[in-house]
Amino acid sequence: MEHPLYQRELMDGVRIVGVQTSRFKTLRVSVSFAVPLRAETAGVNALAISLLQRSCARYPDFTALNRRLAELYGAIVYARINKQGDAQVLTLYISTVDDRFALEGERLADACADLLCEMLFDPVTENGLLTAQAVELEKRLLKEKIDSELSDKRQYALEQCEAAMCADEPFGLSKYGRVEEIAAITPESATHAMRDLLRRARVQINVVGSAEAEAVGDRFQRAFEQIGRDYRPLSAPIFRPFSGSVREQTEQLPVNQGKLVLGLRTAMTSPDDRPYAHAVMTDIFGGGPYSRLFMNVREKMSLCYYCSARLTRQKGLIFVSSGVEDENAGKARTEILNQLRIMQEGAFEDGEFAASIKALSDSARSMNDMPDYLDTWYMRQMTLDHVDTPEEYARQISAVTREEVEQAARGAALDTVYLLRPEEEEVQA
């Protein structure tokens, strides 16, 4: 089901996107900030958005804020930190019941927008600065989050491959920043980062629910007008062709199962350079149970516990992630590249092509099934010049031809190999 899409530029660099629908029992309002991903600011930006989710001057502690959230029918507030190409995207969102289910005609979307504005524009301060106690708490929590990433070896291996492949590009940085940078954060630097986000970032407000987004947009427009915006547009993301040599990185950790990640560069020169053909190519290659990597490398040859590929559109990169026994890592790598060669030669089957078109189209349309899906769908496009609705994306996917898929595959080349191996057991005397 296609929902009406409302878009409006509130001011330079601030946009509101509204999906008005009575399909859901809940509503969602989010505010996302996109800024350049930089080593010196990633950590403090991540800390700032995480800190702002916990209080505001009107509700200065956990108890007061939760009392207000309870009044908003058990609303939930949460901060998210993402990486989109060479940009860091920081989001604060609130979810509660839809306006249609509020008692006495309460306008919950407007109330949620007001609360988000209070949290963003009027935080708890001491002598004009975010409090030292709050900053120290967030520093500890952010370090714990970084440490916990090591426990998810699949994600860890992917991020290590990204870091090796894009070591001299912003995309190679962690979305949470570096531990040493986080340790150096002060109330002064955190306050400066918070104000910079509000004044300089690209901002997108999303509203998903039965309420009209226009009134929400008016509230945020007034809030941003009061701070004096100094918008700094994002630079175009870096797209680099294959250099001609393959980077190799091997790491040993106490794991039972090895992780092999292959990083491929494509011939894409921008996020809008044949993204739909590259999406279909990547999906046939390693997107689902019908894909060549799943059917051949995992099922027929049993070289991997899992093997899948994903496209990073904002960088024109493809990452193939697999879980392997140490002795099968070399064989898996060879067969993954063999399946890429088959894609490049156009030797994939019509059934695989049709299955991919249907799966990608259905997946896009399924974004209409949940308000958080729709919110995430539009948040992930905030750094792009053109915004696709799920239906528009599905139509573009359905128009892709076999020839375009083959052309996209021929532009892909292995750039980086990251292998996480189990530690060697000590030989007992």
Side-chain angles (χ1 to χ4, degrees):
M1 180 185 296
E2 189 162 0
H3 304 300
L5 185 66
Y6 171 85
Q7 294 189 71
R8 173 177 147 209
E9 294 292 322
L10 303 181
M11 61 184 62
D12 198 16
V14 181
R15 174 174 63 189
I16 185 166
V17 175
V19 181
Q20 188 173 13
T21 173
S22 297
R23 186 177 183 183
F24 309 125
K25 295 181 179 179
T26 59
L27 74 86
R28 180 124 156 177
V29 182
S30 69
V31 188
S32 297
F33 303 86
V35 292
L37 182 58
R38 294 172 178 156
E40 62 271 20
T41 57
V44 71
N45 286 339
L47 180 139
I49 199 69
S50 298
L51 187 152
L52 292 175
Q53 72 179 312
R54 305 194 191 282
S55 64
C56 61
R58 187 173 181 182
Y59 308 107
D61 54 39
F62 179 83
T63 301
L65 179 60
N66 275 290
R67 186 181 300 116
R68 178 54 181 157
L69 293 174
E71 292 170 352
L72 294 173
Y73 297 82
I76 297 172
V77 174
Y78 194 71
R80 260 187 328 204
I81 303 159
N82 292 288
K83 182 167 63 173
Q84 293 184 23
D86 294 331
Q88 183 184 30
V89 177
L90 309 120
T91 302
L92 191 64
Y93 73 79
I94 185 167
S95 296
T96 190
V97 300
D98 191 70
D99 278 13
R100 294 176 297 125
F101 301 99
L103 301 176
E104 301 177 356
E106 292 177 82
R107 298 169 63 92
L108 293 179
D110 295 348
C112 288
D114 288 339
L115 180 56
L116 286 176
C117 284
E118 290 176 326
M119 299 175 80
L120 291 167
F121 295 94
D122 193 17
V124 177
T125 59
E126 191 174 85
N127 298 322
L129 301 175
L130 297 172
T131 67
Q133 181 180 5
V135 169
E136 288 304 313
L137 172 62
E138 290 303 329
K139 286 167 66 173
R140 178 174 60 80
L141 293 175
L142 191 54
K143 289 176 186 176
E144 289 176 358
K145 188 173 293 185
I146 293 172
D147 291 340
S148 70
E149 286 194 323
L150 186 58
S151 62
D152 184 349
K153 296 300 188 296
R154 182 172 181 171
Q155 183 64 25
Y156 172 80
L158 173 61
E159 291 175 356
Q160 292 301 107
C161 186
E162 291 175 352
M165 188 173 183
C166 302
D168 56 349
E169 302 172 40
F171 185 71
L173 300 169
S174 166
K175 62 185 178 183
Y176 297 122
R178 301 175 299 189
V179 172
E180 56 269 25
E181 177 213 338
I182 294 168
I185 295 173
T186 64
E188 289 81 4
S189 63
T191 304
H192 179 76
M194 176 199 70
R195 290 171 178 165
D196 265 5
L197 287 177
L198 296 172
R199 294 178 62 243
R200 297 183 175 182
R202 175 181 290 189
V203 182
Q204 181 166 302
I205 301 115
N206 292 343
V207 183
V208 182
S210 65
E212 294 184 358
E214 185 173 2
V216 173
D218 291 342
R219 281 165 161 75
F220 278 99
Q221 183 173 6
R222 289 193 295 269
F224 277 107
E225 285 175 345
Q226 291 174 7
I227 64 169
R229 284 274 290 173
D230 182 22
Y231 174 49
R232 307 292 176 88
L234 295 170
S235 300
I238 299 170
F239 279 70
R240 289 181 176 169
F242 174 54
S243 65
S245 60
V246 177
R247 300 176 179 87
E248 306 264 358
Q249 181 173 324
T250 300
E251 185 176 6
Q252 287 187 316
L253 288 174
V255 295
N256 295 323
Q257 182 190 109
K259 309 293 178 187
L260 174 67
V261 184
L262 306 185
L264 313 176
R265 290 194 184 269
T266 70
M268 291 179 69
T269 58
S270 77
D272 296 319
D273 181 10
R274 300 164 295 155
Y276 311 103
H278 281 86
V280 176
M281 184 275 286
T282 305
D283 194 63
I284 298 172
F285 181 41
Y290 46 80
S291 69
R292 301 205 62 84
L293 294 184
F294 184 91
M295 293 299 298
N296 294 280
V297 184
R298 182 186 185 275
E299 293 294 292
K300 291 182 181 179
M301 303 183 72
S302 299
L303 293 175
C304 303
Y305 296 100
Y306 63 85
C307 191
S308 63
R310 70 167 178 82
L311 172 70
T312 300
R313 174 180 173 178
Q314 285 91 341
K315 290 290 292 179
L317 306 176
I318 296 172
F319 292 95
V320 180
S321 298
S322 59
V324 297
E325 293 292 345
D326 198 38
E327 62 270 19
N328 288 333
K331 296 176 185 177
R333 170 178 172 174
T334 298
E335 187 55 33
I336 290 169
L337 295 178
N338 180 50
Q339 294 302 321
L340 177 62
R341 177 187 58 79
I342 291 172
M343 293 292 303
Q344 292 170 335
E345 293 173 353
F348 53 91
E349 299 176 4
D350 288 340
E352 295 171 329
F353 175 72
S356 178
I357 295 291
K358 185 177 188 307
L360 289 175
S361 299
D362 289 348
S363 177
R365 293 190 180 100
S366 73
M367 295 299 105
N368 291 307
D369 292 343
M370 295 281 287
D372 53 330
Y373 292 174
L374 280 168
D375 178 38
T376 301
W377 174 267
Y378 289 108
M379 179 273 292
R380 288 178 175 170
Q381 297 183 77
M382 72 173 294
T383 62
L384 302 177
D385 293 331
H386 174 72
V387 176
D388 280 333
T389 66
E391 291 75 18
E392 287 170 341
Y393 183 85
R395 286 192 287 268
Q396 293 283 0
I397 288 294
S398 297
V400 171
T401 65
R402 279 188 62 107
E403 292 72 22
E404 290 173 324
V405 170
E406 293 171 27
Q407 182 183 9
R410 286 194 294 271
L414 179 65
D415 182 277
T416 303
V417 179
Y418 172 83
L419 177 61
L420 176 60
R421 301 181 57 194
E423 290 181 337
E424 296 180 2
E425 295 182 3
E426 295 184 5
V427 179
Q428 300 293 324

